[in-house]
Amino acid sequence: MKATLKKATPNPEHSFNIHKDIGHAILSAWHYHPECELLVVKRTYGTCLIGDYVGPFKNGDVFLFGSNLPHTFRCEQEYLESDTDKIGETIVVLFQNNIWGDTFLSLPEISPIVKLLHTSKLGLRLKGATRRKVGKIAEEMLHESPARKLISLLSALEIIAATKEYEIISSNGFNPEVNSIDQNRINTIFEYTFNNYHKKVALEDVAELINMGKHSFCRYFKSKTKKTYIQFLMEVRIGNACRLLLEEEFNMTEVGYACGYNNISHFYHQFKALTKKNPMDYRSNYIKTEERKFAE
């Protein structure tokens, strides 16, 4: 998908950029940048698009994106308002993949990190103890001296490379060639879908947004994203369902209706097809995981 090139401009005194985004600063269009990105979600929920992946993100998530991987994060409105006590917050680290120089990166001791950065071109979501360790390192980096920041970044990457506690997000077939798709059309489709997934969405209405007939639109979308629009809509709906399931005040039926499903059995079927779990098991597994983390 064609994305907007976003330029990172580190302070002249620093070789890379680390900063905290709060509230509306978290929002970004579908974009990419030549820098690698380490992203720590401190406080916000929503849906993310990373390469050809669509799904939920939540508090505590830590991501590593390789160079030029298109991505965007859509946060829930409540985390964007500055007058709330739970305003959204993320920590962003942007760095060139050859930040330490080619000679340093050619050392045999650094080869695991070089391989990690290559793998991260498809996007990585950290897991387990690695997620917590790297998140803590990133938070401490905000207050460290310039030299210490650089050492901490290397340490974080070494931990990820050594433990391999991560999942690859985008598919192996994803082509990150960002100049091949009409940016305005794709962004229009994305915006409409995110704003209307909870309603009945007709292919004819989406096609009309970009002045296409239904069948032409279906061929266009499939050729650009390697998936049908119906599959994309399902991923957006189920991604939001995963988020809602973690908020205990919603029961299964309410989650289904809130995400655009009038037939709850259909909701269960699509949820399991995408997550390999039924909604109740998904919620139960999350609660058990949180209890284990609390016990640690």
Side-chain angles (χ1 to χ4, degrees):
M1 304 173 188
K2 185 170 182 182
T4 302
L5 172 62
K6 190 173 182 179
K7 296 183 178 180
T9 53
N11 185 298
E13 298 178 355
H14 303 88
S15 59
F16 68 102
N17 183 306
I18 176 169
H19 63 274
K20 182 184 293 187
D21 283 336
I22 298 175
H24 282 276
I26 296 173
L27 296 179
S28 63
W30 179 241
H31 71 284
Y32 69 99
H33 37 72
E35 296 83 7
C36 299
E37 177 176 344
L38 180 64
L39 174 67
V40 179
V41 180
K42 287 287 293 177
R43 186 170 54 250
T44 186
Y45 283 78
T47 302
C48 58
L49 278 74
I50 302 167
D52 60 1
Y53 168 83
V54 182
F57 69 92
K58 62 184 185 302
N59 298 345
D61 277 346
V62 179
F63 299 90
L64 178 62
F65 305 139
S67 177
N68 293 324
L69 176 66
H71 57 278
T72 185
F73 285 73
R74 293 282 303 217
C75 304
E76 292 302 301
Q77 188 64 32
E78 61 184 312
Y79 292 97
L80 304 179
E81 301 302 328
S82 59
D83 59 349
T84 67
D85 59 359
K86 58 177 181 180
I87 186 170
E89 182 180 316
T90 62
I91 298 172
V92 182
V93 184
L94 296 167
F95 60 97
Q96 297 286 348
N97 56 15
N98 64 343
I99 184 174
W100 293 281
D102 294 336
T103 300
F104 182 79
L105 292 175
S106 66
L107 297 174
E109 293 86 352
I110 306 301
S111 62
I113 293 178
V114 174
K115 292 178 182 177
L116 172 70
L117 295 179
H118 178 75
T119 303
S120 70
K121 288 183 177 181
L122 292 176
L124 307 177
R125 190 198 305 257
L126 306 193
K127 299 162 62 178
T130 298
R131 174 180 61 83
R132 296 190 290 276
K133 288 178 183 177
V134 172
K136 183 178 180 182
I137 290 174
E139 189 162 11
E140 291 173 347
M141 285 171 65
L142 289 167
H143 312 290
E144 292 176 338
S145 67
R148 186 68 238 178
K149 281 182 169 70
L150 193 59
I151 294 171
S152 293
L153 175 59
L154 182 63
S155 176
L157 295 177
E158 191 276 333
I159 289 172
I160 301 170
T163 63
K164 295 184 179 180
E165 265 193 314
Y166 56 73
E167 60 180 335
I168 296 175
I169 300 172
S170 190
S171 71
N172 288 324
F174 175 68
N175 180 4
E177 184 54 54
V178 294
N179 295 315
S180 62
I181 300 178
D182 179 352
Q183 175 185 333
N184 291 331
R185 284 177 169 177
I186 293 298
N187 281 334
T188 297
I189 296 167
F190 282 176
E191 285 299 313
Y192 180 84
T193 306
F194 278 123
N195 292 331
N196 295 278
Y197 70 88
H198 57 288
K199 307 174 184 176
K200 181 179 180 180
V201 176
L203 283 173
E204 292 85 355
D205 293 339
V206 185
E208 187 176 341
L209 292 172
I210 57 174
N211 300 313
M212 283 187 177
K214 173 181 174 180
H215 299 296
S216 296
F217 165 71
C218 289
R219 289 193 297 271
Y220 170 79
F221 193 85
K222 180 70 178 289
S223 70
K224 302 307 181 183
T225 66
K226 312 306 178 189
K227 65 181 70 178
T228 67
Y229 178 76
I230 296 301
Q231 181 183 356
F232 171 69
L233 176 61
M234 178 185 75
E235 290 173 348
V236 172
R237 283 174 166 166
I238 298 304
N240 279 278
C242 289
R243 175 185 57 81
L244 291 177
L245 283 168
L246 306 185
E247 301 177 8
E248 293 190 24
E249 62 268 27
F250 292 96
N251 63 42
M252 306 301 160
T253 300
E254 289 172 332
V255 169
Y257 285 135
C259 294
Y261 290 96
N262 293 324
N263 184 316
I264 300 304
S265 64
H266 184 51
F267 164 57
Y268 271 63
H269 175 75
Q270 289 203 337
F271 191 97
K272 190 166 185 177
L274 199 62
T275 68
K276 311 305 179 187
K277 298 183 179 71
N278 65 48
M280 289 179 289
D281 287 342
Y282 183 89
R283 171 180 280 173
S284 176
N285 288 348
Y286 175 80
I287 293 173
K288 289 177 181 177
T289 299
E290 290 300 299
E291 288 174 346
R292 283 198 299 270
K293 288 192 297 185
F294 181 79
E296 292 175 1

